[in-house]
Amino acid sequence: MDDGVSAQARSWQETAVRRSRVRGCLLGGAIGDALGNPVEFLSLDAIRRTYGDRGVTGMVQDADGVIGRVTDDTQMTLFTAEGLIRARARAAEKGIGGAETTCLQHAYRRWLDTQNYPAPPARGGNDLVRTGWLRTQPWLYARRAPGNACLTGIAAGHVPDPSGAPGEPGPVNPQSKGCGTVMRSAPFGLTGGDPARMFALAAAASRITHGHPTASLSAGAFAAIVAYLLRGESGPAAVLRAMELLRRHAGHEETTAALRAAVDLAGTPGAPSPERVESLGAAWIAEEALSIAVYCFLAPTASAAEALLLSVNHSGDSDSTGSLCGNLLGVAYGDVQLPVEWLMLTEGRTVIATVADEFSLQFEHNKAVYGAPVHSADRYPGN
């Protein structure tokens, strides 16, 4: 009897921790994105001239005078999560598995609408794309410097084969290895699935927009790190285990070298600094964004807030490195460790938290939400 009660209590505790990690991952990414957004295109010198020697020390206004705005990083991450929920719904309702890249292509086309229209466009006839709840959120309809490869790649309509080798080049934007593949890939690691499979799926989905193998392998490695952290692995262990998966694939050398540099730098004596961050690159390309985020996550900072500030105070793609670092911090420590004052200022936080909770429910038990299935035809159609 007592053993049964204890087992049930442990199960409840594990579920609560897992949901906190999923919520933390998506909310942490949004916080980092919003912190980095106003300084994305500023050099470190310009950041210090504008905000002082320490750079930004909290949420600051963007060019329009608004605080807390997120960018395409958070937008695309949400649509990745939605695409995975709908792929799971398709499998549950129709018994059709293996449709993840199709569902993700549809999800990214919904994101593309947010870049091309001021409000949700009307659906027509048997439209399988313009459906669901997420696309109806008005705040998502905003252009915040999306990457050209993401825009053109999604428009090309390519649906990658999920069984393809992660290190193979793709036909869409074959020379592109921008960080747009990595910054949207955290949800793959949050499914609770086998990290090797999530690595492969994230790598395949990256080829919807970016054809360079390093883009795919960096996305896969990031998804695997998130997957291992969700399981409770330490930060260093999660990164090293993801690197073991990475080395199985042809063409891994650039991504492996970038991750090795991050791990080595985090273990080097001395205080973390923007200059150390900049030694890893500018983060416009996939492996550099991954490397900087991992360094800031592993570096010996005093708090999640300090790690997030480290991740955005540099010359380069500050919103993407902030978003990735926030994903890692959130999945490692849960939403309760996120800076509350920054969370309250972050655009779309209630929607982000809702997507996170429904994602958790979908991948736990396909349970009901508010009396209706998570994969209801209105909210998350299976396509």
Side-chain angles (χ1 to χ4, degrees), residues 47-210:
I47 292 172
R48 286 171 168 165
R49 284 197 304 271
T50 304
Y51 300 104
D53 290 344
R54 295 174 58 202
V56 294
T57 57
M59 292 281 187
V60 297
Q61 294 179 352
D62 65 12
D64 296 323
V66 179
I67 295 176
R69 275 181 173 171
V70 299
T71 75
D72 58 313
D73 298 49
T74 298
Q75 294 170 346
M76 293 198 77
T77 297
L78 289 175
F79 280 101
T80 298
E82 190 221 30
L84 290 170
I85 291 173
R86 291 171 68 155
R88 176 88 165 197
R90 179 185 174 98
E93 291 178 351
K94 303 177 182 179
I96 304 173
E100 290 95 344
T101 53
T102 297
C103 290
L104 287 162
Q105 223 289 333
H106 288 174
Y108 294 151
R109 285 172 62 189
R110 287 187 286 278
W111 170 77
L112 190 60
D113 274 350
T114 70
Q115 306 302 291
N116 292 333
Y117 295 90
R123 58 174 298 191
N126 296 319
D127 190 344
L128 296 177
V129 174
R130 289 179 175 144
T131 56
W133 165 78
L134 187 61
R135 70 177 288 271
T136 67
Q137 304 305 308
W139 64 276
L140 288 171
Y141 286 77
R143 270 207 182 206
R144 307 275 167 74
N148 186 61
C150 288
L151 296 171
T152 60
I154 294 165
H158 176 57
V159 177
D161 180 356
S163 65
E168 291 180 352
V172 178
N173 296 320
Q175 301 305 314
S176 181
K177 59 173 181 173
C179 68
T181 61
V182 184
M183 56 79 164
R184 68 189 192 226
S185 292
F188 294 102
L190 298 177
T191 64
D194 173 56
R197 182 174 182 274
M198 293 306 103
F199 182 115
L201 184 57
S206 77
R207 292 195 290 274
I208 292 173
T209 55
H210 295 66

Side-chain angles (χ1 to χ4, degrees), residues 304-362:
E306 284 196 14
L308 285 166
L309 292 174
L310 181 67
S311 74
V312 301
N313 279 301
H314 63 87
S315 309
D317 198 347
S318 296
D319 62 316
S320 293
T321 52
S323 177
L324 293 171
C325 183
N327 290 147
L328 297 175
L329 291 164
V331 72
Y333 305 118
D335 61 325
V336 295
Q337 295 296 322
L338 299 175
V340 174
E341 64 275 21
W342 296 347
L343 177 60
M344 294 298 291
L345 293 170
T346 300
E347 182 182 30
R349 63 183 174 84
T350 56
V351 170
I352 298 167
T354 298
V355 171
D357 289 343
E358 295 187 350
F359 189 97
S360 290
L361 289 166
Q362 180 73 71

